[in-house]
Amino acid sequence: MASGNLEMGFIFLTQTIVGILGNSFLLCLYNFTLFTGHKLRPTDLILNQLALANSLVLFFKGIPQTMSAFRMKYFLGDIGCKLVFYNYRLGTGVSLSTICLLNGFQAIKIDSSMCRWMALKFRSLKFIGFCCFLCWIPHIFLSSCLLRIVSGPVSNQNYSGKNNQEDCSWQMQGIFSPLYTILYFSSDFLCLGFMVWASGSMVLVLHRHKQRVQHIHCHSFSSRCSHESRATRTIMILVSSFFTFYSVYTLMTVWTTLVANPGRWTVNTSVLVSSCFPALSPLVLIISDTRVSQICFVCSMKKNGFA
């Protein structure tokens, strides 16, 4: 059992460190472009918010869970547990809303006939910033419910629900537990449904567009189409990975809350799945962003020049 805990602890530690470093790099990159306007893209503000939300998830889920796996002395009291769960849920909710915003932005961009008013508005960085701001509002209030039901370390665990950390718990009256769980995750399932619709629309538009222009050999048109396809492919990878990881995590959370008394393996697996997207998505964005390769090339040239 101790060996298994150490292995899981090292997995959590690696996942958290990789994710925090990746998201920190993206925050520096996107904030630099936003402040300087150098090679600024409309999606930079959205992706900057995604990196911030992912950092919240990793700080308030990955670090406490790593400590728990290593059996370190738990320092969180009642207030600490409430803050950890509140910020984790806030980060997860904002990440979900931001992915929906990014998905919708790209869907409207490649098919402006879908919503001409939104297509015009999305050209304004102020409008994108307003949409990003709106992503926070519902989750700030929704996550506040956790401040009532989450409690700190206690010796007796006779509760209808149990948390994803060993020393914190949540307590709900049994009659309200199923209703609260359904209401709690209803907005998430709506967002996941929107992702499926927007992603399907993008695939259909790109497929039809490819059939129409397959005999056109204009270089400028081809390069533009290639850029849009590359950006759409990156967003599709992000959306599909988020959809997969978050759907599995949500189903496991609902199952452990309503049906089962979760064992240690179930708890660890649930936390591992919930942190996969925040840890891996920065790698996808770093690899797909041509500005990163340009920065690496410039740094390499300067290093060789000073050698």
Side-chain angles (χ1 to χ4, degrees):
M1 179 66 71
S3 177
N5 289 331
L6 287 177
E7 291 176 359
M8 189 59 67
F10 281 115
I11 293 175
F12 285 137
L13 181 63
T14 302
Q15 185 187 56
T16 303
I17 291 176
V18 170
I20 289 177
L21 290 177
N23 285 293
S24 299
F25 175 80
L26 290 178
L27 284 172
C28 292
L29 174 64
Y30 296 137
N31 281 312
F32 175 78
T33 60
L34 290 171
F35 286 131
T36 63
H38 181 66
K39 295 184 179 180
L40 179 63
R41 299 173 182 173
T43 56
D44 283 348
L45 189 57
I46 302 176
L47 294 175
N48 185 61
Q49 178 169 280
L50 179 63
L52 177 61
N54 287 340
S55 298
L56 277 177
V57 174
L58 292 169
F59 270 112
F60 291 98
K61 176 62 73 170
I63 293 178
Q65 192 62 34
T66 301
M67 294 179 60
S68 179
F70 280 121
R71 300 296 183 184
M72 298 175 65
K73 185 177 180 179
Y74 217 66
F75 64 92
L76 293 176
D78 184 65
I79 295 178
C81 285
K82 292 179 185 296
L83 291 177
V84 163
F85 268 80
Y86 176 85
N87 285 283
Y88 163 70
R89 175 60 193 178
L90 178 63
T92 303
V94 172
S95 179
L96 174 60
S97 298
T98 305
I99 285 291
C100 285
L101 177 61
L102 182 65
N103 202 13
F105 171 84
Q106 190 65 18
I108 293 173
K109 185 178 180 181
I110 65 175
D111 187 12
S112 58
S113 62
M114 183 184 301
C115 184
R116 296 187 182 277
W117 180 81
M118 290 291 289
L120 292 173
K121 286 292 187 179
F122 268 131
R123 296 178 184 177
S124 170
L125 197 62
K126 290 184 179 180
F127 182 75
I128 297 177
F130 177 71
C131 292
C132 290
F133 172 75
L134 289 180
C135 291
W136 292 84
I137 302 303
H139 298 292
I140 288 176
F141 292 102
L142 182 62
S143 301
S144 63
C145 298
L146 292 174
L147 299 177
R148 289 182 55 86
I149 64 175
V150 172
S151 58
V154 290
S155 57
N156 186 14
Q157 296 291 345
N158 294 324
Y159 297 124
S160 61
K162 195 172 182 180
N163 72 334
N164 289 335
Q165 298 170 16
E166 188 176 69
D167 296 331
C168 294
S169 61
W170 67 69
Q171 181 180 15
M172 292 182 290
Q173 296 182 9
I175 188 173
F176 293 111
S177 179
L179 177 61
Y180 177 79
T181 303
I182 293 173
L183 293 176
Y184 188 76
F185 288 106
S186 59
S187 61
D188 296 355
F189 287 121
L190 289 175
C191 288
L192 293 176
F194 174 80
M195 287 183 189
V196 173
W197 172 80
S199 300
S201 300
M202 284 192 290
V203 170
L204 289 176
V205 170
L206 288 176
H207 178 69
R208 292 170 183 171
H209 190 66
K210 184 178 180 180
Q211 288 182 332
R212 291 173 185 171
V213 302
Q214 59 183 349
H215 299 300
I216 299 177
H217 301 286
C218 177
H219 176 71
S220 60
F221 186 84
S222 178
S223 62
R224 179 180 178 276
C225 185
S226 176
H227 174 73
E228 292 295 337
S229 298
R230 184 170 60 250
T232 303
R233 184 165 55 248
T234 301
I235 293 174
M236 290 292 291
I237 293 173
L238 291 175
V239 170
S240 59
S241 58
F242 187 95
F243 182 87
T244 301
F245 290 131
Y246 193 71
S247 296
V248 172
Y249 166 72
T250 301
L251 291 175
M252 292 185 69
T253 302
V254 172
W255 177 68
T256 55
T257 302
L258 298 180
V259 179
N261 183 22
R264 191 65 189 172
W265 181 87
T266 306
V267 171
N268 287 335
T269 303
S270 176
V271 175
L272 186 66
V273 171
S274 69
S275 301
C276 278
F277 179 81
L280 298 179
S281 60
L283 302 180
V284 175
L285 292 171
I286 290 172
I287 292 173
S288 62
D289 198 325
T290 56
R291 291 171 297 186
V292 176
S293 59
Q294 292 173 0
I295 293 173
C296 294
F297 177 75
V298 171
C299 292
S300 177
M301 292 296 291
K302 289 184 177 180
K303 182 179 179 181
N304 292 332
F306 285 110

